[in-house]
Amino acid sequence: MTAGRRTEVSDIGLGLTVNSKQYADASDLDRTNGSLAFISSYQLDRHRLGLNADLDYDSTLTSEEATTGFVQVNKRRSRFVVRPTWAYQITERATLDTGLSYEDVSYEDVNQIPLSNYTFARANVTIGYQISERMQLVGQTAYDNYESTADGTRTTSVGVEAGLRYLLSETSSIRALAGVRHSDAETPIEDGVDDTDSFGPIFQLEWTKDFIVGGVELLAERSLLPSGRGTLLDTTGITLGFDYPISPLWTFGLNASAYRNRNPGGEISGNDRDYVDVSPRLGRRLSESLSLDLSYRLRWQKREIIAEDAVSNAIFLSVNYKWPREPLRRFSTLR
């Protein structure tokens, strides 16, 4: 469910999502996830101010797929994120974008699995320069601060990247950035604090292609991700989203993702894992609001310190109904 208002200089929106799944003869997998999202922006001459916030209440069966991989036990996770932003048009070609974000994650009754509450804050600055109609040069820097409440671990990280955005065609674009990061982890021990420094590469590569209906989005990225394991994780990930209408009534889709998680310092531990998730689907539109989806999901995981890998297979048949809605209306002042 979404609602919002729009004027010539401002946008405001509110979204609510509730997703409930019940399993026959496996009630320990039952879960109801919910999320509340708020977005807003205000345009003032060359300035653009924004404020976004998200509140998620979900299950560890899904929330840990990209980081810890502890998805065997169904426990609740609460996540709150707030993101203020400021953008400034320096000249006709040059832009400045800044942002702050604060994330607070907590788990309920996770004694069975080694997860701990944490906070994660980030400040970033991005500068862009348009050298042609198709190409924009981009440089950005970010500072991260991660704190785990379980053992008092604190990790700070600074990263610098440079690259470009390029318009391949009217419907296709590419964004490529690469750089380095430095992280400093402080862990309390009996006789003081264990301080560990590490360096590593970071990069982003994104390609998008739009069709008349549907499209393709491919993203490859290496960065430090916050996790419930009491540390940032050096994560290399690739995600693919593909939707293509085979006919006016049939649609083929594919969602795929793969992650490699490692400790930032390179030491081998239980955090080291490889994970792959592939989900093709075939959809049939029954009416303007009603559709039927048949999908298959394959998941594979391998941990560095465990000899055996884990494989999961599932088939889903879904009936979807979308309530008819109108786009956000534009309001104007009567004169």
Side-chain angles (χ1 to χ4, degrees):
M1 182 178 67
T2 58
R5 286 187 176 183
R6 176 175 299 160
T7 69
E8 294 181 353
V9 296
S10 65
D11 287 289
I12 186 170
L14 188 67
L16 174 64
T17 302
V18 177
N19 184 349
S20 181
K21 293 185 178 181
Q22 309 296 319
Y23 293 83
D25 301 325
S27 59
D28 57 323
L29 299 179
D30 295 349
R31 60 185 182 271
T32 299
N33 297 338
S35 64
L36 180 65
F38 171 80
I39 59 172
S40 63
S41 64
Y42 184 76
Q43 185 73 44
L44 179 63
D45 197 16
R46 293 188 174 188
H47 304 267
R48 186 173 184 86
L49 303 175
L51 178 62
N52 298 347
D54 296 280
L55 178 61
D56 299 321
Y57 186 65
D58 52 20
S59 168
T60 55
L61 294 177
T62 54
S63 68
E64 305 304 302
E65 287 186 344
T67 52
T68 69
F70 293 127
V71 296
Q72 299 92 340
V73 181
N74 186 6
K75 298 297 181 180
R76 306 308 301 173
R77 183 193 75 149
S78 300
R79 174 177 176 266
F80 172 72
V81 185
V82 60
R83 304 183 188 90
T85 59
W86 171 61
Y88 181 68
Q89 187 75 35
I90 302 173
T91 66
E92 292 184 357
R93 292 177 176 267
T95 58
L96 172 67
D97 292 272
T98 65
L100 298 173
S101 68
Y102 177 79
E103 179 179 358
D104 188 296
V105 175
S106 59
Y107 301 91
E108 298 179 10
D109 186 26
V110 289
N111 295 329
Q112 302 177 52
I113 46 180
L115 293 175
S116 62
N117 303 341
Y118 66 87
T119 61
F120 179 69
R122 163 170 287 189
N124 64 277
V125 178
T126 302
I127 296 178
Y129 186 79
Q130 199 78 32
I131 63 174
S132 68
E133 292 184 358
R134 289 178 174 267
M135 181 180 295
Q136 181 188 43
L137 299 181
V138 179
Q140 66 181 30
T141 182
Y143 172 82
D144 301 337
N145 182 83
Y146 170 91
E147 295 188 22
S148 171
T149 59
D151 56 7
T153 298
R154 180 175 181 266
T155 303
T156 58
S157 176
V158 177
V160 179
E161 293 178 281
L164 57 85
R165 295 187 182 99
Y166 187 75
L167 187 64
L168 300 173
S169 67
E170 293 182 356
T171 60
S172 179
S173 64
I174 188 172
R175 178 172 61 93
L177 298 171
V180 295
R181 56 86 182 163
H182 168 257
S183 63
D184 179 25
E186 299 178 353
T187 304
I189 55 178
E190 291 184 0
D191 57 349
V193 176
D194 182 20
D195 196 331
T196 305
D197 287 342
S198 67
F199 292 85
I202 52 177
F203 65 82
Q204 302 174 46
L205 178 61
E206 183 180 21
W207 173 65
T208 60
K209 170 69 175 179
D210 295 326
F211 305 124
I212 297 177
V213 177
V216 182
E217 181 173 359
L218 178 65
L219 173 63
E221 183 176 21
R222 182 169 182 177
S223 61
L224 294 181
L225 293 184
S227 77
R229 287 285 282 170
T231 181
L232 293 171
L233 294 179
D234 185 0
T235 300
T236 302
I238 182 169
T239 59
L240 170 66
F242 176 71
D243 283 286
Y244 186 78
I246 302 174
S247 71
L249 297 179
W250 291 91
T251 301
F252 174 77
L254 175 65
N255 291 329
S257 59
Y259 299 97
R260 164 164 282 197
N261 303 119
R262 296 293 186 267
N263 277 328
E267 62 275 13
I268 297 177
S269 73
N271 295 328
D272 297 354
R273 61 186 281 264
D274 298 322
Y275 172 78
V276 176
D277 186 328
V278 180
S279 300
R281 68 183 182 278
L282 188 64
R284 174 65 159 83
R285 184 168 63 86
L286 304 177
S287 68
E288 291 295 329
S289 303
L290 189 64
S291 63
L292 188 68
D293 287 347
L294 176 64
S295 61
Y296 166 74
R297 185 185 69 191
L298 169 66
R299 294 188 295 177
W300 173 85
Q301 178 171 278
K302 177 68 172 66
R303 293 191 181 274
E304 190 74 16
I305 62 174
I306 300 177
E308 297 81 10
D309 55 4
V311 179
S312 169
N313 295 275
I315 296 177
F316 301 91
L317 181 63
S318 307
V319 178
N320 305 305
Y321 181 81
K322 293 183 179 180
W323 293 97
R325 66 177 184 178
E326 296 181 0
L328 298 180
R329 296 182 177 181
R330 183 178 296 275
F331 293 84
S332 59
T333 304
L334 296 177
R335 297 181 179 178

